[in-house]
Amino acid sequence: MDQKLVSSWFHLHSSVPLSYVQPPESRPGMVFSSGKKIPVVDLGVHDRDETIEHILKASKDYGFFQVIEHGVSKELMDDTLSIFKEFHAMPAEEKIRESSRDPNGGCRLYTSREINKKDIIQFWRDTLRHLCPSSGDFMQFLPQKPAKYREVVAKYTQEMRRMGLTILELLCEGLGLDPKYCCGGLSDSPLLLAHHYPPCPEPGLTLGAPKHRDPNLVTILLQEKDINALQVFKDGEWIVVEPIPYAFVVNIGLMLQVISNGRLIGAEHRVVTNSEFARTTVAYFIRPTSEQIIEPAKSLISSGAQPIYRSITYEEFLKNFMIKGSDIEQELLLEPKQKAAL
């Protein structure tokens, strides 16, 4: 594994290895600004109806928004980014050892991405991935280095759970659902991904992450303040998610698209690289438990709308997603005859 990690060898290359070169149609190219910007939602506004209106519109139009006045301290955000930068800067052998305590693989370090495709084109990143249940039961499997890793990550994931449930409650209320609809089993299996993108000698040839949708309800991303790398696909063009200091980026996942019966968008997005700076991000995935049934909310269907997605357990969905990626969305769509039978 240590020889595969991009951070172990990127500095030895003046060009991108062939296995990392994207086909011409997938390369970053130029991003021409049309003036569109990802919406910003102020969670500190005291008018709940106004907040719901803003967050719902952003989720319908873009599937992405940034949140400010969210209640997470700047100190904790700085400490969290620092901890993961320190982790990814450690020697490869140490990183591998620290991320290999769980015999079931709930905490692990990998490179490129996890989706199993035979035509393997690699992506310019390393990722630390681990579970972060609210019970704290998984703590013994987390890295002990850098110092205070467990302490900082415990505080951070607790804050992410609080903020994530607040966002879900606002979205559910805006959809006309019980605000607590997504609490419990639909959000009880959170996952943390700490991505590290080393400097790349030829950023025009490769990607840090491909065009994709997230296989969850909602993702909350902490990104660095000064590096433009995350892009959202809307109306045939790529829009840069320009970092706002001490804001979080929130995006809707495929699961919430299904639950909302297509009213919310699981937006496609990607990550580009750059030749000058390393970039570290921390993504908190709000996910269902494995046995949870994912389907359009019944109250949305009973109000007259036809379901457009079939029911599926999250375990089955995730297994298929790891093979097919976002292409699984087509398999979730109901045929006209199936809709009529419901």
Side-chain angles (χ1 to χ4, degrees):
M1 167 60 80
D2 60 326
Q3 296 303 313
K4 294 180 180 179
L5 294 172
V6 180
S7 54
S8 294
W9 53 258
F10 76 95
H11 57 288
L12 302 175
H13 290 255
S14 58
S15 60
V16 171
L18 188 59
S19 61
Y20 287 81
V21 175
Q22 299 293 310
E25 66 274 13
S26 298
R27 294 175 192 171
M30 294 290 291
V31 176
F32 298 98
S33 176
S34 62
K36 291 178 182 174
K37 291 195 174 185
I38 301 304
V40 178
V41 175
D42 185 345
L43 291 182
V45 171
H46 296 299
D47 187 331
R48 185 176 179 87
D49 290 341
E50 181 182 338
T51 304
I52 289 172
E53 181 183 348
H54 288 167
I55 206 169
L56 198 64
K57 179 172 174 51
S59 301
K60 288 178 176 179
D61 293 348
Y62 286 84
F64 261 80
F65 51 92
Q66 300 201 60
V67 293
I68 58 174
E69 300 299 328
H70 40 66
V72 183
S73 73
K74 293 179 180 180
E75 180 182 10
L76 180 57
M77 295 172 77
D78 287 338
D79 288 348
T80 301
L81 266 181
S82 293
I83 278 288
F84 287 110
K85 285 182 179 180
E86 287 180 47
F87 176 87
H88 282 291
M90 293 193 308
E93 299 81 3
E94 197 167 8
K95 286 188 286 191
I96 294 166
R97 183 173 63 251
E98 290 295 322
S99 58
S100 302
R101 288 190 171 87
D102 180 16
N104 296 317
C107 178
R108 60 181 176 271
L109 180 67
Y110 62 90
T111 194
S112 189
R113 61 176 181 164
E114 288 188 294
I115 292 176
N116 306 314
K117 287 202 171 183
K118 293 179 180 177
D119 53 337
I120 305 283
I121 296 176
Q122 301 296 315
F123 295 91
W124 198 267
R125 71 174 179 190
D126 299 330
T127 299
L128 173 65
R129 165 208 194 279
H130 62 67
L131 305 174
C132 44
S134 57
S135 64
D137 290 343
F138 198 76
M139 195 61 64
Q140 72 269 26
F141 297 123
L142 300 189
Q144 290 181 301
K145 295 180 181 179
K148 294 190 175 181
Y149 181 98
R150 294 182 178 181
E151 177 186 340
V152 170
V153 170
K155 289 179 182 176
Y156 182 75
T157 54
Q158 185 177 28
E159 285 291 272
M160 290 302 97
R161 179 170 177 79
R162 174 193 61 76
M163 181 170 60
L165 291 178
T166 296
I167 290 169
L168 284 172
E169 287 176 11
L170 292 167
L171 285 167
C172 287
E173 190 171 336
L175 289 168
L177 302 173
D178 183 322
K180 302 291 185 183
Y181 184 90
C182 286
C183 297
L186 282 172
S187 55
D188 262 357
S189 186
L191 179 70
L192 185 142
L193 301 174
H195 300 302
H196 181 69
Y197 307 90
C200 176
E202 296 178 292
L205 295 181
T206 191
L207 289 168
K211 181 180 179 181
H212 70 286
R213 294 180 172 93
D214 288 347
N216 56 356
L217 272 75
V218 165
T219 302
I220 304 174
L221 182 76
L222 173 61
Q223 63 173 346
E224 297 189 64
K225 307 178 189 72
D226 304 316
I227 305 173
N228 292 335
L230 177 61
Q231 300 176 350
V232 180
F233 194 65
K234 177 174 170 57
D235 299 331
E237 65 176 327
W238 288 103
I239 302 170
V240 176
V241 182
E242 297 179 6
I244 298 174
Y246 296 108
F248 286 98
V249 180
V250 179
N251 67 276
I252 305 301
L254 271 174
M255 296 293 85
L256 203 51
Q257 180 174 318
V258 171
I259 290 168
S260 71
N261 203 35
R263 287 178 62 186
L264 306 184
I265 300 173
E268 293 179 305
H269 52 288
R270 70 181 184 183
V271 176
V272 300
T273 62
N274 76 88
S275 60
E276 297 183 61
F277 306 105
R279 176 175 179 262
T280 301
T281 64
V282 186
Y284 181 83
F285 276 31
I286 300 177
R287 312 185 308 164
T289 53
S290 296
E291 69 279 1
Q292 192 70 36
I293 301 294
I294 309 301
E295 62 186 357
K298 288 184 169 57
S299 60
L300 296 180
I301 305 308
S302 62
S303 63
Q306 288 288 324
I308 60 176
Y309 299 105
R310 67 181 178 89
S311 300
I312 188 173
T313 65
Y314 187 60
E315 182 176 29
E316 181 187 356
F317 169 85
L318 203 55
K319 181 172 67 175
N320 291 334
F321 182 88
M322 296 306 289
I323 298 171
K324 299 175 182 177
S326 299
D327 293 342
I328 190 179
E329 182 187 357
Q330 296 304 312
E331 295 187 10
L332 295 175
L333 291 169
L334 289 171
E335 298 292 334
K337 290 182 180 178
Q338 294 174 304
K339 292 180 187 178
L342 294 173

